[in-house]
Amino acid sequence: MIRRNRIAIGLAAGLAVVLGLGVWSATGSGTNSKPVAQTETDLGVLGDYGDAGSNPVLQEPAQAPATDTQQQAAPQTPAVQPPAAQPPAAQPPVAPPVSSLRLIGKQVDKMGMVVQDGDGRTLYRFDKDTPTPDTKSNCNGQCAQTWPPVLSETVPQIEGIDPSLVKLITRADGKKQVALGNWPLYVYSLDPKPGSWKGQGVGGTWFVIQPNGKRNVECLPPGVTAPAA
């Protein structure tokens, strides 16, 4: 009787061991882990190209091509037009050149009122010139060499003279000559220095001119008679 109980106990223990091994095999080597189905996310983590452990590469979705309606609605950028050409600025009128010639009305000892140029040379008038109606010089050729005309392309600078009395006339050779009170002006080539008046009364027709255009009949040389005014 005792022997039978021992055999029954041994068989029961053996069956328990066999059942335990079966359960252990079914549950994965006896651990408490349970099988989990692999999802697409797990596969991505493991890497589809053998790079286990690398982060998955996320691709942006492709953009759909724009439709005709969208293309028509797109704002059009206006073409940039070049700046319009500006008209040239109006230029101020060119001022006439300033004459280097000067006429100075002044009073000198013995002679009284005279007109000199900027170099101090005494100026003369010729009684055979034509003062009116158009001022004209009648001293040309050899006469103009002895009595050089006062030439200028512009009205000279003046001092001590009424500007309205000064003008330019055209000589026979086309050059411009300065006239004072309708009388053309000259210098005398034989005056030895500035301030001299050796030409006073020469031929009874040449006289020092005054700032008003009239003859200066002061300090006449011997034998020269003052003409009628």
Side-chain angles (χ1 to χ4, degrees):
M1 185 67 179
I2 295 172
R3 184 177 180 182
R4 288 180 179 179
N5 290 338
R6 290 179 178 175
I7 293 173
I9 293 172
L11 290 174
L15 289 173
V17 171
V18 171
L19 290 173
L21 290 175
V23 174
W24 179 84
S25 298
T27 58
S29 302
T31 63
N32 292 327
S33 61
K34 57 183 178 178
V36 179
Q38 290 182 330
T39 63
E40 293 181 358
T41 302
D42 295 332
L43 293 176
V45 173
L46 294 177
D48 293 336
Y49 301 97
D51 50 346
S54 62
N55 294 328
V57 178
L58 301 179
Q59 295 184 352
E60 296 182 358
Q63 298 293 332
T67 63
D68 294 340
T69 303
Q70 292 174 333
Q71 291 178 353
Q72 293 177 359
Q76 299 295 326
T77 303
V80 178
Q81 298 296 329
Q86 298 296 327
Q91 298 296 325
V94 178
V98 178
S99 175
S100 60
L101 177 65
R102 296 179 63 197
L103 300 183
I104 304 171
K106 62 188 297 186
Q107 183 169 348
V108 299
D109 293 341
K110 298 182 181 180
M111 183 60 69
M113 296 302 297
V114 303
V115 177
Q116 297 178 346
D117 65 9
D119 296 326
R121 296 180 298 177
T122 302
L123 303 185
Y124 300 85
R125 51 171 273 181
F126 184 35
D127 280 357
K128 292 186 178 181
D129 282 344
T130 305
T132 56
D134 295 321
T135 304
K136 178 183 177 182
S137 171
N138 294 316
C139 180
N140 300 289
Q142 185 60 44
C143 175
Q145 294 183 22
T146 304
W147 300 89
V150 178
L151 303 176
S152 178
E153 290 297 323
T154 58
V155 176
Q157 304 174 54
I158 58 175
E159 180 181 335
I161 301 172
D162 185 350
S164 65
L165 298 178
V166 181
K167 65 179 181 180
L168 300 179
I169 65 169
T170 302
R171 293 179 53 79
D173 58 5
K175 295 180 180 179
K176 300 294 184 180
Q177 182 176 1
V178 182
L180 172 60
N182 292 331
W183 291 96
L185 297 178
Y186 307 85
V187 295
Y188 186 37
S189 62
L190 299 180
D191 271 344
K193 62 181 180 180
S196 299
W197 56 79
K198 293 293 183 180
Q200 172 74 326
V202 172
T205 56
W206 291 93
F207 294 92
V208 173
I209 195 168
Q210 298 184 93
N212 59 6
K214 296 182 178 180
R215 306 182 194 91
N216 182 318
V217 293
E218 301 292 333
C219 199
L220 290 173
V224 176
T225 303

Short mmCIF file of all heavy atoms in Angstrom, two decimals, residues 16-75:
data_model
loop_
_atom_site.label_atom_id
_atom_site.label_comp_id
_atom_site.label_asym_id
_atom_site.label_seq_id
_atom_site.Cartn_x
_atom_site.Cartn_y
_atom_site.Cartn_z
N ALA A 16 3.82 16.83 -13.77
CA ALA A 16 3.91 18.28 -13.50
C ALA A 16 5.12 18.90 -14.20
O ALA A 16 5.06 19.98 -14.76
CB ALA A 16 3.97 18.52 -12.00
N VAL A 17 6.22 18.14 -14.18
CA VAL A 17 7.45 18.65 -14.84
C VAL A 17 7.23 18.76 -16.32
O VAL A 17 7.61 19.73 -16.99
CB VAL A 17 8.64 17.73 -14.51
CG1 VAL A 17 9.84 18.11 -15.35
CG2 VAL A 17 8.97 17.81 -13.03
N VAL A 18 6.59 17.71 -16.91
CA VAL A 18 6.35 17.73 -18.36
C VAL A 18 5.44 18.88 -18.74
O VAL A 18 5.66 19.61 -19.70
CB VAL A 18 5.76 16.39 -18.82
CG1 VAL A 18 5.31 16.47 -20.27
CG2 VAL A 18 6.78 15.28 -18.64
N LEU A 19 4.38 19.09 -17.98
CA LEU A 19 3.47 20.21 -18.27
C LEU A 19 4.17 21.57 -18.12
O LEU A 19 3.96 22.51 -18.89
CB LEU A 19 2.26 20.14 -17.32
CG LEU A 19 1.28 18.99 -17.58
CD1 LEU A 19 0.21 18.93 -16.46
CD2 LEU A 19 0.64 19.11 -18.95
N GLY A 20 5.05 21.65 -17.12
CA GLY A 20 5.78 22.92 -16.92
C GLY A 20 6.69 23.23 -18.08
O GLY A 20 6.82 24.36 -18.52
N LEU A 21 7.35 22.19 -18.60
CA LEU A 21 8.22 22.43 -19.77
C LEU A 21 7.42 22.87 -20.96
O LEU A 21 7.84 23.72 -21.76
CB LEU A 21 8.99 21.14 -20.06
CG LEU A 21 10.07 20.75 -19.04
CD1 LEU A 21 10.67 19.37 -19.39
CD2 LEU A 21 11.16 21.79 -19.00
N GLY A 22 6.25 22.30 -21.15
CA GLY A 22 5.42 22.69 -22.30
C GLY A 22 4.99 24.14 -22.21
O GLY A 22 5.00 24.89 -23.19
N VAL A 23 4.56 24.52 -21.00
CA VAL A 23 4.14 25.93 -20.83
C VAL A 23 5.29 26.86 -21.03
O VAL A 23 5.19 27.91 -21.64
CB VAL A 23 3.52 26.11 -19.44
CG1 VAL A 23 3.23 27.58 -19.18
CG2 VAL A 23 2.25 25.30 -19.34
N TRP A 24 6.47 26.52 -20.56
CA TRP A 24 7.66 27.38 -20.70
C TRP A 24 8.03 27.58 -22.14
O TRP A 24 8.36 28.68 -22.59
CB TRP A 24 8.79 26.72 -19.91
CG TRP A 24 10.08 27.50 -19.98
CD1 TRP A 24 10.42 28.53 -19.23
CD2 TRP A 24 11.16 27.24 -20.86
NE1 TRP A 24 11.67 29.00 -19.55
CE2 TRP A 24 12.15 28.19 -20.58
CE3 TRP A 24 11.39 26.26 -21.85
CZ2 TRP A 24 13.38 28.21 -21.26
CZ3 TRP A 24 12.62 26.31 -22.51
CH2 TRP A 24 13.59 27.29 -22.24
N SER A 25 7.95 26.48 -22.90
CA SER A 25 8.26 26.59 -24.35
C SER A 25 7.25 27.47 -25.04
O SER A 25 7.58 28.27 -25.94
CB SER A 25 8.27 25.19 -24.98
OG SER A 25 9.28 24.40 -24.40
N ALA A 26 6.01 27.39 -24.71
CA ALA A 26 4.97 28.17 -25.39
C ALA A 26 5.07 29.65 -25.09
O ALA A 26 4.67 30.49 -25.89
CB ALA A 26 3.60 27.64 -24.97
N THR A 27 5.59 30.00 -23.89
CA THR A 27 5.63 31.42 -23.51
C THR A 27 6.95 32.08 -23.81
O THR A 27 7.22 33.19 -23.38
CB THR A 27 5.34 31.55 -22.01
OG1 THR A 27 6.30 30.79 -21.29
CG2 THR A 27 3.94 31.10 -21.72
N GLY A 28 7.86 31.47 -24.58
CA GLY A 28 9.13 32.13 -24.97
C GLY A 28 10.13 32.01 -23.92
O GLY A 28 10.47 32.99 -23.27
N SER A 29 10.65 30.78 -23.73
CA SER A 29 11.79 30.51 -22.85
C SER A 29 11.50 30.88 -21.44
O SER A 29 12.38 31.33 -20.70
CB SER A 29 13.03 31.23 -23.34
OG SER A 29 13.34 30.86 -24.65
N GLY A 30 10.33 30.85 -21.02
CA GLY A 30 10.02 31.02 -19.62
C GLY A 30 9.98 32.44 -19.16
O GLY A 30 9.84 32.67 -17.98
N THR A 31 10.10 33.43 -20.01
CA THR A 31 10.05 34.83 -19.59
C THR A 31 8.62 35.32 -19.59
O THR A 31 7.73 34.68 -20.15
CB THR A 31 10.88 35.71 -20.51
OG1 THR A 31 10.31 35.66 -21.82
CG2 THR A 31 12.32 35.27 -20.55
N ASN A 32 8.42 36.47 -19.00
CA ASN A 32 7.08 37.05 -18.94
C ASN A 32 6.74 37.87 -20.16
O ASN A 32 5.69 38.47 -20.24
CB ASN A 32 6.94 37.92 -17.68
CG ASN A 32 6.98 37.07 -16.43
OD1 ASN A 32 6.52 35.92 -16.42
ND2 ASN A 32 7.52 37.64 -15.36
N SER A 33 7.70 38.01 -21.17
CA SER A 33 7.42 38.83 -22.38
C SER A 33 6.37 38.14 -23.19
O SER A 33 6.32 36.93 -23.24
CB SER A 33 8.70 39.01 -23.20
OG SER A 33 9.20 37.76 -23.62
N LYS A 34 5.55 38.89 -23.84
CA LYS A 34 4.48 38.34 -24.66
C LYS A 34 4.69 38.81 -26.07
O LYS A 34 5.20 39.88 -26.33
CB LYS A 34 3.12 38.78 -24.11
CG LYS A 34 2.95 40.28 -24.02
CD LYS A 34 1.63 40.62 -23.41
CE LYS A 34 1.47 42.11 -23.26
NZ LYS A 34 0.17 42.46 -22.70
N PRO A 35 4.32 38.01 -27.02
CA PRO A 35 4.55 38.37 -28.43
C PRO A 35 3.75 39.60 -28.82
O PRO A 35 2.59 39.72 -28.45
CB PRO A 35 4.11 37.13 -29.19
CG PRO A 35 3.15 36.42 -28.28
CD PRO A 35 3.62 36.69 -26.89
N VAL A 36 4.40 40.54 -29.50
CA VAL A 36 3.74 41.78 -29.99
C VAL A 36 3.88 41.82 -31.48
O VAL A 36 4.99 41.65 -32.02
CB VAL A 36 4.39 43.02 -29.35
CG1 VAL A 36 3.71 44.28 -29.89
CG2 VAL A 36 4.29 42.95 -27.85
N ALA A 37 2.80 42.04 -32.17
CA ALA A 37 2.84 42.10 -33.63
C ALA A 37 3.64 43.31 -34.07
O ALA A 37 3.52 44.39 -33.52
CB ALA A 37 1.41 42.18 -34.17
N GLN A 38 4.52 43.13 -35.07
CA GLN A 38 5.32 44.24 -35.61
C GLN A 38 4.46 45.12 -36.49
O GLN A 38 3.76 44.63 -37.37
CB GLN A 38 6.50 43.69 -36.43
CG GLN A 38 7.55 43.00 -35.57
CD GLN A 38 8.71 42.53 -36.42
OE1 GLN A 38 8.51 42.21 -37.57
NE2 GLN A 38 9.88 42.49 -35.83
N THR A 39 4.54 46.41 -36.18
CA THR A 39 3.76 47.38 -36.96
C THR A 39 4.67 48.06 -37.95
O THR A 39 5.90 47.89 -37.94
CB THR A 39 3.15 48.43 -36.02
OG1 THR A 39 4.20 49.15 -35.40
CG2 THR A 39 2.27 47.77 -34.96
N GLU A 40 4.08 48.90 -38.84
CA GLU A 40 4.88 49.64 -39.82
C GLU A 40 5.82 50.61 -39.14
O GLU A 40 6.94 50.86 -39.60
CB GLU A 40 3.95 50.39 -40.77
CG GLU A 40 3.13 49.46 -41.66
CD GLU A 40 2.23 50.23 -42.60
OE1 GLU A 40 2.25 51.48 -42.50
OE2 GLU A 40 1.54 49.61 -43.41
N THR A 41 5.39 51.13 -37.96
CA THR A 41 6.25 52.06 -37.23
C THR A 41 7.48 51.35 -36.72
O THR A 41 8.59 51.85 -36.79
CB THR A 41 5.49 52.68 -36.05
OG1 THR A 41 4.33 53.33 -36.56
CG2 THR A 41 6.35 53.69 -35.32
N ASP A 42 7.30 50.10 -36.18
CA ASP A 42 8.46 49.35 -35.69
C ASP A 42 9.40 49.03 -36.81
O ASP A 42 10.62 49.09 -36.65
CB ASP A 42 7.98 48.04 -35.02
CG ASP A 42 7.15 48.33 -33.78
OD1 ASP A 42 7.41 49.40 -33.17
OD2 ASP A 42 6.28 47.52 -33.44
N LEU A 43 8.88 48.70 -37.96
CA LEU A 43 9.75 48.39 -39.09
C LEU A 43 10.53 49.63 -39.51
O LEU A 43 11.69 49.54 -39.89
CB LEU A 43 8.92 47.86 -40.26
CG LEU A 43 8.25 46.50 -40.03
CD1 LEU A 43 7.37 46.13 -41.22
CD2 LEU A 43 9.31 45.42 -39.80
N GLY A 44 9.85 50.78 -39.41
CA GLY A 44 10.56 51.99 -39.77
C GLY A 44 11.69 52.29 -38.84
O GLY A 44 12.73 52.77 -39.23
N VAL A 45 11.49 52.05 -37.56
CA VAL A 45 12.55 52.29 -36.57
C VAL A 45 13.73 51.40 -36.83
O VAL A 45 14.87 51.78 -36.70
CB VAL A 45 11.99 52.11 -35.16
CG1 VAL A 45 13.09 52.19 -34.13
CG2 VAL A 45 10.91 53.16 -34.89
N LEU A 46 13.46 50.10 -37.16
CA LEU A 46 14.56 49.18 -37.43
C LEU A 46 15.28 49.52 -38.71
O LEU A 46 16.43 49.14 -38.89
CB LEU A 46 14.02 47.75 -37.50
CG LEU A 46 13.45 47.19 -36.20
CD1 LEU A 46 12.87 45.79 -36.43
CD2 LEU A 46 14.54 47.13 -35.15
N GLY A 47 14.60 50.20 -39.60
CA GLY A 47 15.26 50.59 -40.84
C GLY A 47 14.95 49.62 -41.94
O GLY A 47 15.12 48.42 -41.79
N ASP A 48 14.48 50.18 -43.08
CA ASP A 48 14.14 49.31 -44.21
C ASP A 48 15.36 48.94 -45.03
O ASP A 48 15.28 48.08 -45.89
CB ASP A 48 13.12 50.02 -45.10
CG ASP A 48 11.78 50.19 -44.40
OD1 ASP A 48 11.51 49.40 -43.48
OD2 ASP A 48 11.04 51.13 -44.77
N TYR A 49 16.49 49.69 -44.84
CA TYR A 49 17.67 49.47 -45.69
C TYR A 49 18.86 48.98 -44.88
O TYR A 49 20.00 49.24 -45.24
CB TYR A 49 18.03 50.76 -46.42
CG TYR A 49 16.88 51.26 -47.27
CD1 TYR A 49 16.03 52.25 -46.77
CD2 TYR A 49 16.64 50.73 -48.52
CE1 TYR A 49 14.97 52.69 -47.54
CE2 TYR A 49 15.59 51.18 -49.30
CZ TYR A 49 14.76 52.16 -48.80
OH TYR A 49 13.71 52.60 -49.56
N GLY A 50 18.58 48.33 -43.74
CA GLY A 50 19.66 47.75 -42.98
C GLY A 50 20.32 48.70 -42.02
O GLY A 50 21.27 48.32 -41.35
N ASP A 51 19.91 50.01 -41.97
CA ASP A 51 20.53 50.96 -41.04
C ASP A 51 19.71 50.98 -39.77
O ASP A 51 19.02 51.93 -39.45
CB ASP A 51 20.60 52.35 -41.65
CG ASP A 51 19.25 52.79 -42.22
OD1 ASP A 51 18.37 51.93 -42.37
OD2 ASP A 51 19.12 54.00 -42.51
N ALA A 52 19.79 49.88 -39.02
CA ALA A 52 19.01 49.74 -37.80
C ALA A 52 19.38 50.86 -36.84
O ALA A 52 20.55 51.16 -36.66
CB ALA A 52 19.27 48.37 -37.16
N GLY A 53 18.41 51.44 -36.23
CA GLY A 53 18.65 52.46 -35.21
C GLY A 53 18.62 53.88 -35.77
O GLY A 53 18.60 54.83 -35.00
N SER A 54 18.65 54.08 -37.10
CA SER A 54 18.62 55.44 -37.65
C SER A 54 17.19 55.92 -37.73
O SER A 54 16.26 55.12 -37.85
CB SER A 54 19.25 55.46 -39.05
OG SER A 54 18.52 54.62 -39.92
N ASN A 55 17.01 57.26 -37.67
CA ASN A 55 15.68 57.83 -37.70
C ASN A 55 15.08 57.71 -39.08
O ASN A 55 15.79 57.83 -40.09
CB ASN A 55 15.71 59.30 -37.29
CG ASN A 55 16.12 59.45 -35.85
OD1 ASN A 55 15.83 58.59 -35.02
ND2 ASN A 55 16.83 60.55 -35.56
N PRO A 56 13.83 57.50 -39.19
CA PRO A 56 13.20 57.38 -40.52
C PRO A 56 13.22 58.71 -41.25
O PRO A 56 13.14 59.78 -40.64
CB PRO A 56 11.76 56.97 -40.18
CG PRO A 56 11.53 57.49 -38.81
CD PRO A 56 12.85 57.36 -38.10
N VAL A 57 13.38 58.67 -42.56
CA VAL A 57 13.40 59.87 -43.40
C VAL A 57 11.99 60.18 -43.82
O VAL A 57 11.33 59.33 -44.42
CB VAL A 57 14.30 59.67 -44.64
CG1 VAL A 57 14.26 60.91 -45.51
CG2 VAL A 57 15.71 59.33 -44.20
N LEU A 58 11.54 61.38 -43.47
CA LEU A 58 10.19 61.78 -43.79
C LEU A 58 10.19 62.59 -45.08
O LEU A 58 10.95 63.55 -45.22
CB LEU A 58 9.59 62.62 -42.65
CG LEU A 58 9.55 61.93 -41.29
CD1 LEU A 58 8.97 62.87 -40.24
CD2 LEU A 58 8.72 60.65 -41.38
N GLN A 59 9.42 62.21 -46.04
CA GLN A 59 9.35 62.90 -47.31
C GLN A 59 8.10 63.76 -47.34
O GLN A 59 7.03 63.33 -46.92
CB GLN A 59 9.30 61.89 -48.46
CG GLN A 59 10.58 61.06 -48.58
CD GLN A 59 10.51 60.14 -49.78
OE1 GLN A 59 9.47 60.03 -50.40
NE2 GLN A 59 11.62 59.49 -50.06
N GLU A 60 8.29 65.04 -47.85
CA GLU A 60 7.14 65.92 -47.95
C GLU A 60 6.26 65.48 -49.10
O GLU A 60 6.77 65.02 -50.13
CB GLU A 60 7.59 67.37 -48.18
CG GLU A 60 8.38 67.93 -47.02
CD GLU A 60 8.77 69.36 -47.29
OE1 GLU A 60 8.44 69.85 -48.39
OE2 GLU A 60 9.38 69.98 -46.40
N PRO A 61 4.99 65.64 -48.95
CA PRO A 61 4.09 65.23 -50.04
C PRO A 61 4.31 66.10 -51.26
O PRO A 61 4.61 67.28 -51.16
CB PRO A 61 2.70 65.43 -49.43
CG PRO A 61 2.89 66.44 -48.35
CD PRO A 61 4.26 66.16 -47.79
N ALA A 62 4.22 65.50 -52.43
CA ALA A 62 4.44 66.23 -53.68
C ALA A 62 3.35 67.27 -53.85
O ALA A 62 2.20 67.07 -53.48
CB ALA A 62 4.42 65.25 -54.86
N GLN A 63 3.78 68.45 -54.41
CA GLN A 63 2.83 69.54 -54.63
C GLN A 63 2.05 69.27 -55.91
O GLN A 63 2.62 68.93 -56.94
CB GLN A 63 3.58 70.88 -54.76
CG GLN A 63 4.35 71.25 -53.51
CD GLN A 63 3.42 71.54 -52.37
OE1 GLN A 63 2.28 71.99 -52.59
NE2 GLN A 63 3.88 71.29 -51.14
N ALA A 64 0.81 69.51 -55.80
CA ALA A 64 -0.04 69.31 -56.97
C ALA A 64 0.18 70.45 -57.95
O ALA A 64 0.35 71.59 -57.53
CB ALA A 64 -1.51 69.26 -56.55
N PRO A 65 0.22 70.18 -59.26
CA PRO A 65 0.41 71.27 -60.24
C PRO A 65 -0.73 72.25 -60.20
O PRO A 65 -1.87 71.90 -59.93
CB PRO A 65 0.47 70.52 -61.58
CG PRO A 65 -0.26 69.23 -61.33
CD PRO A 65 0.04 68.86 -59.92
N ALA A 66 -0.36 73.53 -60.42
CA ALA A 66 -1.37 74.58 -60.37
C ALA A 66 -2.34 74.42 -61.51
O ALA A 66 -1.96 74.09 -62.63
CB ALA A 66 -0.71 75.95 -60.44
N THR A 67 -3.57 74.68 -61.21
CA THR A 67 -4.62 74.59 -62.24
C THR A 67 -4.63 75.86 -63.06
O THR A 67 -4.01 76.87 -62.71
CB THR A 67 -5.97 74.37 -61.58
OG1 THR A 67 -6.28 75.52 -60.77
CG2 THR A 67 -5.97 73.14 -60.70
N ASP A 68 -5.36 75.86 -64.20
CA ASP A 68 -5.47 77.03 -65.05
C ASP A 68 -6.08 78.19 -64.29
O ASP A 68 -5.70 79.35 -64.46
CB ASP A 68 -6.33 76.71 -66.28
CG ASP A 68 -5.63 75.69 -67.18
OD1 ASP A 68 -4.39 75.56 -67.04
OD2 ASP A 68 -6.31 75.05 -68.01
N THR A 69 -7.05 77.88 -63.42
CA THR A 69 -7.70 78.96 -62.65
C THR A 69 -6.72 79.63 -61.72
O THR A 69 -6.68 80.85 -61.58
CB THR A 69 -8.87 78.39 -61.85
OG1 THR A 69 -9.78 77.77 -62.76
CG2 THR A 69 -9.59 79.51 -61.08
N GLN A 70 -5.85 78.80 -61.07
CA GLN A 70 -4.86 79.37 -60.15
C GLN A 70 -3.84 80.20 -60.91
O GLN A 70 -3.39 81.24 -60.45
CB GLN A 70 -4.16 78.25 -59.38
CG GLN A 70 -5.08 77.54 -58.39
CD GLN A 70 -4.39 76.34 -57.76
OE1 GLN A 70 -3.49 75.76 -58.37
NE2 GLN A 70 -4.81 75.98 -56.56
N GLN A 71 -3.43 79.71 -62.12
CA GLN A 71 -2.47 80.48 -62.90
C GLN A 71 -3.05 81.81 -63.32
O GLN A 71 -2.38 82.84 -63.34
CB GLN A 71 -2.05 79.67 -64.13
CG GLN A 71 -1.21 78.44 -63.77
CD GLN A 71 -0.84 77.64 -65.00
OE1 GLN A 71 -1.32 77.92 -66.09
NE2 GLN A 71 0.01 76.65 -64.82
N GLN A 72 -4.34 81.83 -63.67
CA GLN A 72 -4.94 83.08 -64.07
C GLN A 72 -5.09 84.02 -62.89
O GLN A 72 -5.02 85.23 -63.04
CB GLN A 72 -6.32 82.81 -64.69
CG GLN A 72 -6.25 82.06 -66.03
CD GLN A 72 -7.61 81.74 -66.57
OE1 GLN A 72 -8.63 82.06 -65.94
NE2 GLN A 72 -7.66 81.10 -67.74
N ALA A 73 -5.29 83.48 -61.70
CA ALA A 73 -5.50 84.33 -60.53
C ALA A 73 -4.20 84.90 -59.99
O ALA A 73 -4.21 85.79 -59.17
CB ALA A 73 -6.22 83.55 -59.42
N ALA A 74 -3.05 84.31 -60.42
CA ALA A 74 -1.77 84.78 -59.89
C ALA A 74 -1.56 86.22 -60.30
O ALA A 74 -1.79 86.60 -61.43
CB ALA A 74 -0.63 83.91 -60.42
N PRO A 75 -1.11 87.09 -59.38
CA PRO A 75 -0.90 88.52 -59.72
C PRO A 75 0.23 88.67 -60.72
O PRO A 75 1.25 87.98 -60.65
CB PRO A 75 -0.56 89.15 -58.37
CG PRO A 75 -0.02 88.02 -57.55
CD PRO A 75 -0.76 86.79 -58.00
#
